[in-house]
Amino acid sequence: MKSIRRLYFYLVAFISIEVVLWGLVGLLRSVVDETISRGADALAQALALILVGVPIFLIHWLWVQRAAARDEEERTATLRAVFFYAILLATLIPVVQNLLSFIDRALIQAVGLRLVHAFRLFREQTLADNLIAILMNGIVAFYFWRTLRSEWATLPDKENFTEVRRLYRYLWMFYGLLMTVFGVQQVLYFLFYTPGDALGDVGRKVVINGVSLLLVGTPLWAYAWRVIQNSLVDTAEMNSNLRLGILYLLALGGVITVITTAIMVVSAIMMWLLGIGWTLQRFVQQIGGPISIGVPLGLVWAYYGYWLNRHIEAIGDKVRQ
């Protein structure tokens, strides 16, 4: 019963703080909205979210805080750690997404393209929308980060929090890696289509969106991976099954993709040699798609395969090796 009650209170606290947060974002956005009728509708909806969400959040959040203060089991519960790190993900990912939105639209406009060529989710947004979302999510993230930091200093048993934190770090690494891989794919895709549409809107859109992903995703991936690598001084981090599984997943996913795209490239080459009638430009474009996917995933395979081999060699347990 305690576990069910704990799940209920943390789940409601999570949902209600998200309701309040996006109500505040909507409220601030409606203030700067130039359309009076649209602004009034948005203002009413935002106020409703805030007025309903605030008391519900306070009731449930204060309850879990009091329970954690008087009960060691509540303070060290895995669900409490999941709540903190889930809140950080739910607030910091929108910060990254709104930063990406701003950079993408800015680059699109800088090269003289219309905003319709930006990523679909970002086309209707404005600088004010992005700044408001970044500010409000940043404030909430900072509050829970400070609270979590104080929790770490007083935890009598850190095992549950350590396991959830480990997963949290790898999720950020995956998030940054996906943006980086997709960004490289978009740039390579543009290069293979250069003979046909180098100066057109479509070609410029592809490369600008790819560069935007690289500008945001690469530093994020590099930082998250460095944090993970620096944590390996802890034996528990070095010997974790999660790390071994992640390394295998990335290496295996990379090699499967490389094999698949290699088959597609060889198939296109054979069709061209057998006289299918493609022009050189069409042939380059046919192999460009698979290569643009295979190259970044091949780099993932090589890089994480290297770290997988080092990890296996570093394990002292012969059975695990």
Side-chain angles (χ1 to χ4, degrees):
M1 289 298 294
K2 290 181 66 176
S3 298
I4 296 175
R5 181 184 62 185
R6 187 184 303 138
L7 175 62
Y8 163 77
F9 273 92
Y10 280 111
L11 184 60
V12 174
F14 180 88
I15 295 173
S16 58
I17 189 58
E18 283 293 301
V19 167
V20 173
L21 170 59
W22 289 104
L24 290 170
V25 170
L27 176 64
L28 292 176
R29 284 176 173 175
S30 67
V31 170
V32 299
D33 197 322
E34 297 178 357
T35 306
I36 297 176
S37 60
R38 181 185 170 191
D41 292 340
L43 178 62
Q45 184 179 16
L47 288 173
L49 292 173
I50 295 169
L51 292 175
V52 172
V54 168
I56 294 177
F57 169 71
L58 289 176
I59 290 171
H60 291 79
W61 176 240
L62 292 176
W63 184 91
V64 298
Q65 287 295 81
R66 286 196 298 267
R70 64 173 179 261
D71 188 344
E72 182 177 311
E73 181 183 352
E74 291 290 338
R75 184 187 300 180
T76 60
T78 299
L79 189 58
R80 182 171 175 82
V82 170
F83 171 81
F84 277 116
Y85 285 106
I87 280 288
L88 291 179
L89 283 173
T91 51
L92 293 177
I93 287 179
V95 170
V96 174
Q97 286 297 109
N98 277 274
L99 178 61
L100 175 62
S101 174
F102 166 69
I103 291 175
D104 187 46
R105 293 197 323 276
L107 292 178
I108 285 288
Q109 291 178 313
V111 298
L113 293 176
R114 294 172 297 154
L115 288 179
V116 70
H117 293 293
F119 285 114
R120 187 178 299 275
L121 292 176
F122 305 153
R123 293 172 185 173
E124 302 298 325
Q125 295 180 350
T126 65
L127 176 59
D129 291 337
N130 297 142
L131 291 178
I132 290 170
I134 290 173
L135 175 64
M136 298 311 300
N137 278 277
I139 291 173
V140 174
F142 180 74
Y143 168 74
F144 283 103
W145 175 77
R146 286 289 301 271
T147 305
L148 177 61
R149 186 179 178 184
S150 65
E151 290 282 315
W152 272 99
T154 59
L155 282 174
D157 182 4
K158 296 179 170 59
E159 181 179 357
N160 293 337
F161 274 68
T162 300
E163 292 177 353
V164 177
R165 182 183 63 181
R166 184 182 305 132
L167 177 61
Y168 170 80
R169 288 171 173 173
Y170 279 105
L171 287 175
W172 275 113
M173 187 271 291
F174 259 120
Y175 180 41
L177 182 61
L178 284 175
M179 284 197 288
T180 302
V181 168
F182 189 55
V184 172
Q185 185 272 328
Q186 291 283 280
V187 173
L188 291 176
Y189 186 80
F190 163 77
L191 293 177
F192 276 98
Y193 273 72
T194 294
D197 198 23
L199 301 178
D201 288 355
V202 175
R204 285 186 292 171
K205 176 188 81 169
V206 170
V207 73
I208 290 299
N209 289 338
V211 170
S212 300
L213 287 167
L214 288 173
L215 289 175
V216 176
T218 304
L220 178 61
W221 166 76
Y223 175 75
W225 181 242
R226 188 184 69 179
V227 170
I228 290 170
Q229 292 294 87
N230 290 341
S231 70
L232 297 182
V233 293
D234 185 348
T235 305
E237 296 292 336
M238 183 64 182
N239 295 328
S240 72
N241 290 326
L242 178 62
R243 175 177 173 82
L244 185 60
I246 292 294
L247 292 176
Y248 265 115
L249 179 63
L250 290 171
L252 184 61
V255 70
I256 290 174
T257 305
V258 169
I259 291 173
T260 304
T261 54
I263 291 173
M264 295 170 67
V265 170
V266 172
S267 175
I269 294 174
M270 295 304 298
M271 291 173 66
W272 190 48
L273 293 176
L274 292 174
I276 195 173
W278 289 339
T279 64
L280 178 60
Q281 176 186 326
R282 178 70 186 281
F283 169 71
V284 171
Q285 292 177 349
Q286 286 295 317
I287 66 173
I291 291 177
S292 69
I293 298 172
V295 168
L297 269 299
L299 294 174
V300 170
W301 170 30
Y303 183 75
Y304 283 102
Y306 165 76
W307 282 108
L308 174 61
N309 291 330
R310 285 196 56 178
H311 180 80
I312 293 174
E313 292 172 0
I315 295 175
D317 187 343
K318 296 297 182 181
V319 177
R320 291 193 68 194
Q321 285 183 341

